[in-house]
Amino acid sequence: MFMAYLPPSTYLQRPQGKVAELRLELNSGSKKDKNFTTKKIALKKIVANMTMSNNDMVALFPDIIGCMGIQNLEIKKMCFLFLVNYARMRPEVAVKAIPVLEHDMEDPNPLVRALALRTMSYIHVREFVEATVPIVKQLLRDSDPYVRKTAAYTVAKLYDHDRHMVEKSDLIDRLNGLLRDDNPTVVASALAGLMDIWERSDAIKLTIDYSNASKMVAILPDCSEWGQTYILEALMSYVPQEAGEATLLAERIAPRLSHSNSAVVLTCIRVILYLMNYIADQKQISALCRKLSPPLVTLLAKGPEVQYLALRNALLILQRRPEVLRNDIRVFFCKYNDPIYVKVTKLELIFMLANEKNIDEVLTELREYATEIDVHFVRKAVRAIGKLAIKIEPAARRCINLLLELVSTKVTYIVQEATVVIRNIFRKYPNQYESIIGTLCEHLDSLDEPEAKAAMVWVIGQYASRIENSDVLLEDFLDSFAEEPVEVQLALLTATVKLFIQRPTKGQDLVPKVLKWATEETDNPDLRDRAYMYWRLLSTDMEAAKRVVMGEKPAITAESEKLDPQTLEEMCLNVGTLATVYLKPVQTVFRNARPKKLHDSPCLQRQEVAVPGLRQPGDDGNKSLSGFGFGSDKAVQRQGNMSAAVSDADAYFAQQHTRQQDGFGDQGHGGGYVVSQFDAQVPVYSAQGQPNNADLLL
């Protein structure tokens, strides 16, 4: 069998041969081929190569422009796709397509007009952008609603290409006028365009009053699912001036909670959560919270990705509105076929919803989770049991018994997680459950992770006086002191000092040895500094050392993972976005995103956050001092004029706090486009006398 040998140059020439072949196919075709079948096949091949990032196809640019004049919608779509893909690579050739596109804008078929306009708006080339402006002004008044909808989006795209050119023209005013259109889809598209411009502009202020908000809500049922999303998103710019307005608006958009599209549901939830901040009546808030529960539960019947998004948002909503989902804990019990990311998020929700009434049911479920095969999920389940013991004090004994039952399985990772959480239980309930220390000490050989080792060492040091062989146990850990991670070394250093303080005869040989290791044979500054501190304490004043080392520990709670109030407020205004998946402020996820916040209003119900040391209304001087640790009368007397100094500081910071609240949400008018909610039909003029943009919602 013989094989022909081809030189390397043959392979290099092959792409050029393909281009020539495709050019021949594009330019061929007999008169009998009325459906342009040959050209369609050739264009499909070109699009396939273009999709594979074959830049050799750019050589076909003149031939593609020649095909654009063919009156066939399928051919036009493929030609326009080629134009959008390669226009920035060959702008000098691409500009030859402008007359063809302008001619298509006058085509009797509205689909062709809209397609040509959309194609021109996609191309970020100066000639295309400038040519689009006069055309889009004309098509904003087109007789067909589909073309008007496309023109509304085109204004936003042009603003992305050249914002100064759009602001100098009257395109935004024309887009604003489109809000009076008879077609709900066109109105929704105009709103989407205005919202997109507002997101990226500091010169335009979007203002919606109650009458405009009511009109927007009225057309919701007639819009497509994405149109409803745009309208609901725009309602976040409405600032209620009366609680009744907010309540009525929330009730009117509540039917959108039963929509089949998850984006509509989550956006509706976001708007209702926003409006709740302006409602004072707790009964109405509770009624709205009850309406938010079923849609969140319904989203759990969708695919795992939508489930995960709904669960992450539920975590956020529960922190702000605990009444939501209060009685729906069973729907968050894990299924055997749930992905691990869904299971872990459900576990967090189960912990948040657990209370004294359902704790037995929850512990039964967690016992099942702790015996599954997924190690990561089992660890989370064991840790949840320990956190429930801290969260629900009456159930602490039941949680501990379950942990001991799991420890008896002698599974390594279960024992290690149990050790960590039992350490926290001891901190929460000192001198109550120390009887289980013996059980933990029986499983020391199972501890090989730093966190578990450090937890066990802490238990041995803290209760050295109650563990008979505490010195022997610590010696076993100290055998590998040099090889241990810093976390374990720090725990061993502190535990050894605690042993010496509680049982001097047992620890007198260990302490000098450990202090010498930590000060002379380590490079870690934290370990070395702590060792020097202990050494000086023990050599100067044993009583002081005992007060420092064996003093009361800070209170431990199970709620430490909650977001701070300011971040939580912002996150609730971004429900349904990617920021809620990460539970981080929106600017952390999207760098250029406009931060959202609650705007001042006579009916705004702002939650007060107690700041330690800041005098609250009605507090006297002594109460302010107690926040700084000077609570008793003797302490106040010893501090001399400290009371006056602290009072002055309180008054200063309270004044600053008031100033911030007074200016909250006030972006000011300044120059540029100004929107007035009270003078809807008349443009507002700036100080220079130039007309600014009229109210974005007329």
Side-chain angles (χ1 to χ4, degrees):
M1 182 176 180
F2 298 96
M3 296 182 64
Y5 172 76
L6 296 175
S9 58
T10 306
Y11 296 103
L12 295 174
Q13 293 171 1
R14 185 167 294 177
Q16 189 62 36
K18 182 186 289 186
V19 170
E21 191 178 309
L22 290 170
R23 180 179 286 115
L24 185 63
E25 288 185 39
L26 274 178
N27 297 323
S28 65
S30 61
K31 294 181 180 179
K32 295 181 181 179
D33 190 9
K34 295 182 180 180
N35 294 324
F36 308 102
T37 306
T38 307
K39 291 185 184 294
K40 288 179 183 177
I41 294 172
L43 284 168
K44 288 177 181 178
K45 292 179 182 177
I46 294 170
V47 170
N49 279 276
M50 182 182 71
T51 307
M52 299 298 291
S53 300
N54 185 356
N55 289 333
D56 293 323
M57 296 295 108
V58 75
L60 295 170
F61 222 136
D63 305 277
I64 295 293
I65 292 176
C67 293
M68 285 184 183
I70 299 174
Q71 295 302 312
N72 183 285
L73 190 58
E74 187 178 356
I75 289 178
K76 283 186 179 293
K77 284 181 179 178
M78 289 188 282
C79 290
F80 290 168
L81 184 62
F82 183 96
L83 177 64
V84 170
N85 198 65
Y86 289 122
R88 296 188 71 174
M89 293 178 62
R90 297 285 300 276
E92 72 283 354
V93 181
V95 294
K96 296 178 181 179
I98 294 178
V100 181
L101 291 169
E102 290 176 338
H103 180 266
D104 284 341
M105 305 263 188
E106 300 174 357
D107 194 280
N109 187 345
L111 292 177
V112 175
R113 297 200 299 273
L115 180 62
L117 179 61
R118 187 162 61 245
T119 302
M120 284 195 75
S121 67
Y122 277 140
I123 300 172
H124 189 48
V125 175
R126 168 57 54 187
E127 290 81 1
F128 279 86
V129 175
E130 291 176 349
T132 307
V133 173
I135 296 171
V136 76
K137 289 181 180 180
Q138 177 184 348
L139 294 185
L140 280 169
R141 301 191 303 269
D142 195 273
S143 58
D144 191 274
Y146 181 72
V147 179
R148 296 200 299 274
K149 182 193 82 168
T150 307
Y153 289 128
T154 301
V155 175
K157 290 175 188 172
L158 289 176
Y159 191 85
D160 190 29
H161 295 328
D162 190 342
R163 63 177 60 192
H164 299 295
M165 182 183 68
V166 174
E167 289 178 356
K168 289 177 182 178
S169 69
D170 61 344
L171 280 176
I172 297 179
D173 288 328
R174 290 173 181 264
L175 183 60
N176 190 38
L178 213 58
L179 295 172
R180 297 191 294 269
D181 199 279
D182 297 333
N183 191 290
T185 304
V186 175
V187 175
S189 303
L191 268 175
L194 288 170
M195 289 292 294
D196 190 69
I197 293 171
W198 172 73
E199 281 281 345
R200 289 175 290 162
S201 171
D202 296 326
I204 297 174
K205 184 179 178 184
L206 183 64
T207 305
I208 302 175
D209 58 17
Y210 182 68
S211 62
N212 291 320
S214 298
K215 294 175 185 176
M216 291 161 57
V217 174
I219 65 171
L220 270 175
D222 301 323
C223 294
S224 66
E225 51 193 21
W226 295 115
Q228 293 182 35
T229 305
Y230 298 144
I231 290 176
L232 290 169
E233 180 74 32
L235 285 174
M236 295 289 291
S237 299
Y238 162 64
V239 182
Q241 300 301 310
E242 297 179 8
E245 293 179 357
T247 305
L248 184 57
L249 205 62
E251 292 290 346
R252 290 179 64 188
I253 66 172
R256 300 300 102 201
L257 293 171
S258 58
H259 201 280
S260 58
N261 187 293
S262 55
V264 176
V265 174
L266 287 171
T267 310
C268 185
I269 290 174
R270 186 198 318 169
V271 177
I272 291 177
L273 286 172
Y274 164 71
L275 293 174
M276 281 186 191
N277 294 292
Y278 298 91
I279 300 174
D281 190 346
Q282 289 301 316
K283 290 183 179 179
Q284 293 173 342
I285 290 178
S286 299
L288 288 171
C289 286
R290 286 194 295 272
K291 291 183 179 181
L292 295 183
S293 181
L296 286 170
V297 173
T298 304
L299 290 176
L300 299 181
K302 295 184 178 289
E305 291 82 7
V306 177
Q307 281 188 52
Y308 182 66
L309 181 62
L311 292 169
R312 297 300 290 179
N313 282 280
L315 282 174
L316 186 68
I317 293 168
L318 273 176
Q319 292 187 43
R320 183 68 179 87
R321 301 289 178 185
E323 305 98 314
V324 181
L325 299 168
R326 176 175 290 170
N327 301 316
D328 295 306
I329 192 169
R330 289 185 63 84
V331 300
F332 299 112
F333 287 173
C334 300
K335 300 175 183 176
Y336 74 95
N337 58 347
D338 281 338
I340 182 62
Y341 55 89
V342 171
K343 285 184 175 180
V344 170
T345 313
K346 282 184 175 181
L347 197 59
E348 294 181 45
L349 280 163
I350 290 171
F351 169 76
M352 292 183 71
L353 292 169
N355 52 45
E356 287 187 53
K357 295 179 180 178
N358 58 27
I359 187 63
D360 291 326
E361 188 178 18
V362 169
L363 290 179
T364 303
E365 190 73 12
L366 293 180
R367 181 189 285 109
E368 296 295 325
Y369 300 163
T371 56
E372 288 199 7
I373 58 173
D374 191 296
V375 176
H376 178 67
F377 185 54
V378 170
R379 287 177 177 273
K380 291 280 187 180
V382 175
R383 191 157 293 206
I385 295 169
K387 289 170 66 179
L388 284 174
I390 298 171
K391 177 183 176 182
I392 307 171
E393 185 171 352
R397 171 55 68 182
R398 279 171 283 177
C399 295
I400 291 172
N401 290 338
L402 178 55
L403 288 171
L404 294 178
E405 179 186 328
L406 295 172
V407 167
S408 64
T409 61
K410 298 184 179 180
V411 179
T412 305
Y413 51 85
I414 292 180
V415 174
Q416 296 189 117
E417 284 297 326
T419 304
V420 173
V421 295
I422 287 174
R423 184 262 313 266
N424 293 334
I425 292 172
F426 284 163
R427 283 188 58 186
K428 175 68 174 178
Y429 308 110
N431 305 318
Q432 289 189 38
Y433 301 108
E434 285 75 9
S435 58
I436 65 174
I437 293 176
T439 308
L440 292 179
C441 292
E442 294 173 4
H443 299 85
L444 290 180
D445 296 336
S446 302
L447 306 179
D448 56 7
E449 292 183 354
E451 189 179 8
K453 276 188 179 181
M456 192 64 220
V457 169
W458 182 90
V459 171
I460 295 172
Q462 186 69 20
Y463 299 99
S465 59
R466 304 189 187 188
I467 303 174
E468 184 62 31
N469 60 338
S470 54
D471 55 331
V472 178
L473 296 176
L474 278 180
E475 277 190 276
D476 291 340
F477 281 107
L478 289 169
D479 288 340
S480 57
F481 181 85
E483 291 79 28
E484 296 290 355
V486 176
E487 180 183 357
V488 180
Q489 289 180 334
L490 288 167
L492 283 169
L493 173 61
T494 304
T496 308
V497 174
K498 287 180 178 178
L499 171 67
F500 177 69
I501 288 174
Q502 296 178 73
R503 305 174 70 180
T505 55
K506 295 284 187 180
Q508 60 185 359
D509 296 329
L510 290 178
V511 166
K513 184 167 55 174
V514 175
L515 290 176
K516 188 174 186 304
W517 289 343
T519 53
E520 297 179 6
E521 300 178 15
T522 181
D523 295 329
N524 187 278
D526 294 332
L527 182 63
R528 189 170 58 244
D529 289 349
R530 185 182 293 191
Y532 277 127
M533 182 194 72
Y534 284 151
W535 205 328
R536 286 167 185 156
L537 267 175
L538 295 173
S539 59
T540 7
D541 189 347
M542 274 297 289
E543 286 302 318
K546 185 174 182 179
R547 288 196 304 272
V548 171
V549 179
M550 299 301 298
E552 289 186 10
K553 305 297 180 290
I556 185 170
T557 67
E559 309 298 331
S560 58
E561 297 176 3
K562 281 193 172 183
L563 298 172
D564 63 273
Q566 288 78 15
T567 304
L568 181 60
E569 179 182 289
E570 182 186 352
M571 296 302 299
C572 285
L573 300 178
N574 289 281
V575 166
T577 66
L578 194 60
T580 56
V581 175
Y582 296 103
L583 291 182
K584 293 185 180 297
V586 66
Q587 283 190 306
T588 307
V589 183
F590 304 106
R591 185 169 48 189
N592 297 324
R594 181 190 287 267
K596 295 181 180 178
K597 52 189 177 182
L598 295 175
H599 294 282
D600 276 342
S601 166
C603 59
L604 177 61
Q605 308 296 314
R606 185 173 296 282
Q607 289 189 338
E608 294 296 333
V609 181
V611 181
L614 181 64
R615 181 162 32 179
Q616 304 298 326
D619 290 351
D620 55 18
N622 290 338
K623 290 183 181 178
S624 293
L625 286 171
S626 65
F628 288 95
F630 307 116
S632 65
D633 294 337
K634 291 182 179 180
V636 175
Q637 292 171 4
R638 285 198 305 268
Q639 294 302 320
N641 61 353
M642 179 63 76
S643 175
V646 173
S647 298
D648 292 340
D650 283 347
Y652 173 78
F653 285 113
Q655 183 181 9
Q656 296 300 315
H657 183 66
T658 306
R659 285 179 182 173
Q660 290 176 3
Q661 285 193 339
D662 288 343
F664 192 73
D666 183 15
Q667 299 178 6
H669 293 291
Y673 292 101
V674 182
V675 179
S676 170
Q677 73 181 78
F678 304 110
D679 196 5
Q681 300 294 335
V682 183
V684 180
Y685 287 79
S686 62
Q688 289 79 10
Q690 298 298 323
N692 290 314
N693 183 39
D695 187 2
L696 287 178
L697 287 173
L698 300 181

PDB file of all heavy atoms in Angstrom, residues 601-625:
ATOM      1  N   SER A 601     -37.645  59.060  53.294  1.00  0.00           N
ATOM      2  CA  SER A 601     -39.061  59.315  53.028  1.00  0.00           C
ATOM      3  C   SER A 601     -39.748  59.493  54.375  1.00  0.00           C
ATOM      4  O   SER A 601     -39.280  58.962  55.394  1.00  0.00           O
ATOM      5  CB  SER A 601     -39.673  58.134  52.260  1.00  0.00           C
ATOM      6  OG  SER A 601     -41.075  58.205  52.268  1.00  0.00           O
ATOM      7  N   PRO A 602     -40.846  60.232  54.423  1.00  0.00           N
ATOM      8  CA  PRO A 602     -41.556  60.384  55.704  1.00  0.00           C
ATOM      9  C   PRO A 602     -42.017  59.054  56.298  1.00  0.00           C
ATOM     10  O   PRO A 602     -42.188  58.955  57.512  1.00  0.00           O
ATOM     11  CB  PRO A 602     -42.762  61.263  55.344  1.00  0.00           C
ATOM     12  CG  PRO A 602     -42.353  61.990  54.101  1.00  0.00           C
ATOM     13  CD  PRO A 602     -41.450  61.064  53.359  1.00  0.00           C
ATOM     14  N   CYS A 603     -42.187  58.023  55.467  1.00  0.00           N
ATOM     15  CA  CYS A 603     -42.691  56.752  55.984  1.00  0.00           C
ATOM     16  C   CYS A 603     -41.614  55.676  56.065  1.00  0.00           C
ATOM     17  O   CYS A 603     -41.929  54.498  56.272  1.00  0.00           O
ATOM     18  CB  CYS A 603     -43.853  56.255  55.120  1.00  0.00           C
ATOM     19  SG  CYS A 603     -43.429  56.010  53.386  1.00  0.00           S
ATOM     20  N   LEU A 604     -40.330  56.053  55.913  1.00  0.00           N
ATOM     21  CA  LEU A 604     -39.267  55.060  55.973  1.00  0.00           C
ATOM     22  C   LEU A 604     -39.124  54.526  57.387  1.00  0.00           C
ATOM     23  O   LEU A 604     -38.963  55.287  58.346  1.00  0.00           O
ATOM     24  CB  LEU A 604     -37.949  55.674  55.503  1.00  0.00           C
ATOM     25  CG  LEU A 604     -36.714  54.765  55.575  1.00  0.00           C
ATOM     26  CD1 LEU A 604     -36.901  53.532  54.699  1.00  0.00           C
ATOM     27  CD2 LEU A 604     -35.462  55.518  55.174  1.00  0.00           C
ATOM     28  N   GLN A 605     -39.167  53.199  57.530  1.00  0.00           N
ATOM     29  CA  GLN A 605     -39.027  52.542  58.834  1.00  0.00           C
ATOM     30  C   GLN A 605     -37.600  52.015  58.952  1.00  0.00           C
ATOM     31  O   GLN A 605     -37.312  50.872  58.637  1.00  0.00           O
ATOM     32  CB  GLN A 605     -40.037  51.388  58.971  1.00  0.00           C
ATOM     33  CG  GLN A 605     -41.469  51.763  58.665  1.00  0.00           C
ATOM     34  CD  GLN A 605     -41.995  52.784  59.656  1.00  0.00           C
ATOM     35  OE1 GLN A 605     -41.813  52.646  60.866  1.00  0.00           O
ATOM     36  NE2 GLN A 605     -42.662  53.813  59.143  1.00  0.00           N
ATOM     37  N   ARG A 606     -36.704  52.861  59.376  1.00  0.00           N
ATOM     38  CA  ARG A 606     -35.303  52.452  59.464  1.00  0.00           C
ATOM     39  C   ARG A 606     -35.053  51.699  60.763  1.00  0.00           C
ATOM     40  O   ARG A 606     -35.479  52.125  61.829  1.00  0.00           O
ATOM     41  CB  ARG A 606     -34.383  53.665  59.388  1.00  0.00           C
ATOM     42  CG  ARG A 606     -32.911  53.298  59.365  1.00  0.00           C
ATOM     43  CD  ARG A 606     -32.062  54.520  59.107  1.00  0.00           C
ATOM     44  NE  ARG A 606     -32.330  55.090  57.796  1.00  0.00           N
ATOM     45  CZ  ARG A 606     -31.854  54.584  56.665  1.00  0.00           C
ATOM     46  NH1 ARG A 606     -31.116  53.497  56.695  1.00  0.00           N
ATOM     47  NH2 ARG A 606     -32.121  55.148  55.514  1.00  0.00           N
ATOM     48  N   GLN A 607     -34.337  50.592  60.658  1.00  0.00           N
ATOM     49  CA  GLN A 607     -33.988  49.812  61.842  1.00  0.00           C
ATOM     50  C   GLN A 607     -32.791  50.449  62.522  1.00  0.00           C
ATOM     51  O   GLN A 607     -31.753  50.665  61.905  1.00  0.00           O
ATOM     52  CB  GLN A 607     -33.659  48.369  61.466  1.00  0.00           C
ATOM     53  CG  GLN A 607     -34.869  47.564  61.029  1.00  0.00           C
ATOM     54  CD  GLN A 607     -34.529  46.106  60.884  1.00  0.00           C
ATOM     55  OE1 GLN A 607     -33.382  45.741  60.708  1.00  0.00           O
ATOM     56  NE2 GLN A 607     -35.530  45.259  60.970  1.00  0.00           N
ATOM     57  N   GLU A 608     -32.945  50.746  63.803  1.00  0.00           N
ATOM     58  CA  GLU A 608     -31.848  51.340  64.556  1.00  0.00           C
ATOM     59  C   GLU A 608     -30.862  50.255  64.971  1.00  0.00           C
ATOM     60  O   GLU A 608     -31.243  49.181  65.415  1.00  0.00           O
ATOM     61  CB  GLU A 608     -32.377  52.052  65.811  1.00  0.00           C
ATOM     62  CG  GLU A 608     -33.243  53.270  65.499  1.00  0.00           C
ATOM     63  CD  GLU A 608     -32.464  54.364  64.796  1.00  0.00           C
ATOM     64  OE1 GLU A 608     -31.241  54.427  64.994  1.00  0.00           O
ATOM     65  OE2 GLU A 608     -33.078  55.143  64.049  1.00  0.00           O
ATOM     66  N   VAL A 609     -29.584  50.554  64.807  1.00  0.00           N
ATOM     67  CA  VAL A 609     -28.533  49.620  65.190  1.00  0.00           C
ATOM     68  C   VAL A 609     -27.834  50.173  66.417  1.00  0.00           C
ATOM     69  O   VAL A 609     -27.328  51.288  66.408  1.00  0.00           O
ATOM     70  CB  VAL A 609     -27.516  49.443  64.044  1.00  0.00           C
ATOM     71  CG1 VAL A 609     -26.452  48.446  64.441  1.00  0.00           C
ATOM     72  CG2 VAL A 609     -28.231  48.996  62.780  1.00  0.00           C
ATOM     73  N   ALA A 610     -27.827  49.392  67.501  1.00  0.00           N
ATOM     74  CA  ALA A 610     -27.191  49.833  68.735  1.00  0.00           C
ATOM     75  C   ALA A 610     -25.678  49.764  68.584  1.00  0.00           C
ATOM     76  O   ALA A 610     -25.126  48.714  68.282  1.00  0.00           O
ATOM     77  CB  ALA A 610     -27.637  48.957  69.902  1.00  0.00           C
ATOM     78  N   VAL A 611     -25.009  50.900  68.750  1.00  0.00           N
ATOM     79  CA  VAL A 611     -23.555  50.951  68.665  1.00  0.00           C
ATOM     80  C   VAL A 611     -22.998  51.062  70.072  1.00  0.00           C
ATOM     81  O   VAL A 611     -23.348  51.976  70.808  1.00  0.00           O
ATOM     82  CB  VAL A 611     -23.104  52.168  67.819  1.00  0.00           C
ATOM     83  CG1 VAL A 611     -21.589  52.202  67.722  1.00  0.00           C
ATOM     84  CG2 VAL A 611     -23.742  52.115  66.452  1.00  0.00           C
ATOM     85  N   PRO A 612     -22.116  50.122  70.494  1.00  0.00           N
ATOM     86  CA  PRO A 612     -21.566  50.193  71.846  1.00  0.00           C
ATOM     87  C   PRO A 612     -20.860  51.516  72.077  1.00  0.00           C
ATOM     88  O   PRO A 612     -20.048  51.949  71.266  1.00  0.00           O
ATOM     89  CB  PRO A 612     -20.571  49.024  71.877  1.00  0.00           C
ATOM     90  CG  PRO A 612     -21.034  48.100  70.801  1.00  0.00           C
ATOM     91  CD  PRO A 612     -21.639  48.963  69.750  1.00  0.00           C
ATOM     92  N   GLY A 613     -21.207  52.148  73.178  1.00  0.00           N
ATOM     93  CA  GLY A 613     -20.552  53.391  73.539  1.00  0.00           C
ATOM     94  C   GLY A 613     -21.233  54.627  73.003  1.00  0.00           C
ATOM     95  O   GLY A 613     -20.909  55.729  73.401  1.00  0.00           O
ATOM     96  N   LEU A 614     -22.194  54.449  72.068  1.00  0.00           N
ATOM     97  CA  LEU A 614     -22.901  55.608  71.520  1.00  0.00           C
ATOM     98  C   LEU A 614     -24.185  55.805  72.294  1.00  0.00           C
ATOM     99  O   LEU A 614     -25.014  54.921  72.370  1.00  0.00           O
ATOM    100  CB  LEU A 614     -23.217  55.382  70.037  1.00  0.00           C
ATOM    101  CG  LEU A 614     -23.934  56.525  69.324  1.00  0.00           C
ATOM    102  CD1 LEU A 614     -23.040  57.753  69.297  1.00  0.00           C
ATOM    103  CD2 LEU A 614     -24.301  56.131  67.904  1.00  0.00           C
ATOM    104  N   ARG A 615     -24.357  56.998  72.912  1.00  0.00           N
ATOM    105  CA  ARG A 615     -25.512  57.224  73.765  1.00  0.00           C
ATOM    106  C   ARG A 615     -26.772  57.262  72.925  1.00  0.00           C
ATOM    107  O   ARG A 615     -26.873  57.997  71.960  1.00  0.00           O
ATOM    108  CB  ARG A 615     -25.346  58.543  74.517  1.00  0.00           C
ATOM    109  CG  ARG A 615     -26.512  58.814  75.439  1.00  0.00           C
ATOM    110  CD  ARG A 615     -26.201  59.836  76.471  1.00  0.00           C
ATOM    111  NE  ARG A 615     -25.266  60.836  76.002  1.00  0.00           N
ATOM    112  CZ  ARG A 615     -24.878  61.844  76.772  1.00  0.00           C
ATOM    113  NH1 ARG A 615     -25.310  61.944  77.995  1.00  0.00           N
ATOM    114  NH2 ARG A 615     -24.040  62.727  76.324  1.00  0.00           N
ATOM    115  N   GLN A 616     -27.733  56.447  73.279  1.00  0.00           N
ATOM    116  CA  GLN A 616     -29.021  56.414  72.605  1.00  0.00           C
ATOM    117  C   GLN A 616     -29.951  57.434  73.254  1.00  0.00           C
ATOM    118  O   GLN A 616     -29.737  57.861  74.389  1.00  0.00           O
ATOM    119  CB  GLN A 616     -29.631  55.005  72.709  1.00  0.00           C
ATOM    120  CG  GLN A 616     -28.719  53.921  72.164  1.00  0.00           C
ATOM    121  CD  GLN A 616     -28.426  54.091  70.698  1.00  0.00           C
ATOM    122  OE1 GLN A 616     -29.275  54.553  69.958  1.00  0.00           O
ATOM    123  NE2 GLN A 616     -27.214  53.756  70.282  1.00  0.00           N
ATOM    124  N   PRO A 617     -30.999  57.834  72.552  1.00  0.00           N
ATOM    125  CA  PRO A 617     -31.929  58.803  73.133  1.00  0.00           C
ATOM    126  C   PRO A 617     -32.514  58.307  74.448  1.00  0.00           C
ATOM    127  O   PRO A 617     -32.960  57.174  74.553  1.00  0.00           O
ATOM    128  CB  PRO A 617     -33.018  58.917  72.056  1.00  0.00           C
ATOM    129  CG  PRO A 617     -32.339  58.532  70.794  1.00  0.00           C
ATOM    130  CD  PRO A 617     -31.323  57.507  71.165  1.00  0.00           C
ATOM    131  N   GLY A 618     -32.481  59.154  75.455  1.00  0.00           N
ATOM    132  CA  GLY A 618     -33.028  58.769  76.754  1.00  0.00           C
ATOM    133  C   GLY A 618     -32.005  58.192  77.696  1.00  0.00           C
ATOM    134  O   GLY A 618     -32.288  57.964  78.872  1.00  0.00           O
ATOM    135  N   ASP A 619     -30.762  57.916  77.212  1.00  0.00           N
ATOM    136  CA  ASP A 619     -29.735  57.371  78.093  1.00  0.00           C
ATOM    137  C   ASP A 619     -29.088  58.508  78.875  1.00  0.00           C
ATOM    138  O   ASP A 619     -28.958  59.626  78.404  1.00  0.00           O
ATOM    139  CB  ASP A 619     -28.652  56.653  77.278  1.00  0.00           C
ATOM    140  CG  ASP A 619     -29.181  55.376  76.669  1.00  0.00           C
ATOM    141  OD1 ASP A 619     -30.305  54.995  77.034  1.00  0.00           O
ATOM    142  OD2 ASP A 619     -28.471  54.785  75.842  1.00  0.00           O
ATOM    143  N   ASP A 620     -28.632  58.187  80.083  1.00  0.00           N
ATOM    144  CA  ASP A 620     -27.893  59.185  80.850  1.00  0.00           C
ATOM    145  C   ASP A 620     -26.394  58.920  80.695  1.00  0.00           C
ATOM    146  O   ASP A 620     -25.962  58.002  80.033  1.00  0.00           O
ATOM    147  CB  ASP A 620     -28.307  59.160  82.331  1.00  0.00           C
ATOM    148  CG  ASP A 620     -28.152  57.786  82.948  1.00  0.00           C
ATOM    149  OD1 ASP A 620     -27.418  56.964  82.356  1.00  0.00           O
ATOM    150  OD2 ASP A 620     -28.755  57.547  84.005  1.00  0.00           O
ATOM    151  N   GLY A 621     -25.592  59.767  81.344  1.00  0.00           N
ATOM    152  CA  GLY A 621     -24.148  59.663  81.201  1.00  0.00           C
ATOM    153  C   GLY A 621     -23.601  58.348  81.677  1.00  0.00           C
ATOM    154  O   GLY A 621     -22.708  57.772  81.078  1.00  0.00           O
ATOM    155  N   ASN A 622     -24.112  57.814  82.810  1.00  0.00           N
ATOM    156  CA  ASN A 622     -23.582  56.564  83.337  1.00  0.00           C
ATOM    157  C   ASN A 622     -23.782  55.416  82.362  1.00  0.00           C
ATOM    158  O   ASN A 622     -22.943  54.546  82.215  1.00  0.00           O
ATOM    159  CB  ASN A 622     -24.252  56.223  84.675  1.00  0.00           C
ATOM    160  CG  ASN A 622     -23.819  57.181  85.763  1.00  0.00           C
ATOM    161  OD1 ASN A 622     -22.764  57.800  85.648  1.00  0.00           O
ATOM    162  ND2 ASN A 622     -24.624  57.317  86.802  1.00  0.00           N
ATOM    163  N   LYS A 623     -24.928  55.400  81.665  1.00  0.00           N
ATOM    164  CA  LYS A 623     -25.192  54.310  80.722  1.00  0.00           C
ATOM    165  C   LYS A 623     -24.223  54.389  79.550  1.00  0.00           C
ATOM    166  O   LYS A 623     -23.780  53.382  79.039  1.00  0.00           O
ATOM    167  CB  LYS A 623     -26.637  54.374  80.227  1.00  0.00           C
ATOM    168  CG  LYS A 623     -27.654  53.999  81.309  1.00  0.00           C
ATOM    169  CD  LYS A 623     -29.051  54.003  80.758  1.00  0.00           C
ATOM    170  CE  LYS A 623     -30.057  53.651  81.862  1.00  0.00           C
ATOM    171  NZ  LYS A 623     -31.433  53.697  81.368  1.00  0.00           N
ATOM    172  N   SER A 624     -23.891  55.582  79.128  1.00  0.00           N
ATOM    173  CA  SER A 624     -22.915  55.711  78.052  1.00  0.00           C
ATOM    174  C   SER A 624     -21.555  55.209  78.514  1.00  0.00           C
ATOM    175  O   SER A 624     -20.859  54.525  77.787  1.00  0.00           O
ATOM    176  CB  SER A 624     -22.798  57.171  77.615  1.00  0.00           C
ATOM    177  OG  SER A 624     -23.990  57.609  77.007  1.00  0.00           O
ATOM    178  N   LEU A 625     -21.210  55.539  79.753  1.00  0.00           N
ATOM    179  CA  LEU A 625     -19.916  55.104  80.268  1.00  0.00           C
ATOM    180  C   LEU A 625     -19.843  53.590  80.379  1.00  0.00           C
ATOM    181  O   LEU A 625     -18.798  52.996  80.157  1.00  0.00           O
ATOM    182  CB  LEU A 625     -19.661  55.734  81.641  1.00  0.00           C
ATOM    183  CG  LEU A 625     -19.316  57.227  81.622  1.00  0.00           C
ATOM    184  CD1 LEU A 625     -19.304  57.757  83.035  1.00  0.00           C
ATOM    185  CD2 LEU A 625     -17.980  57.451  80.965  1.00  0.00           C
TER     186      LEU A 625
END
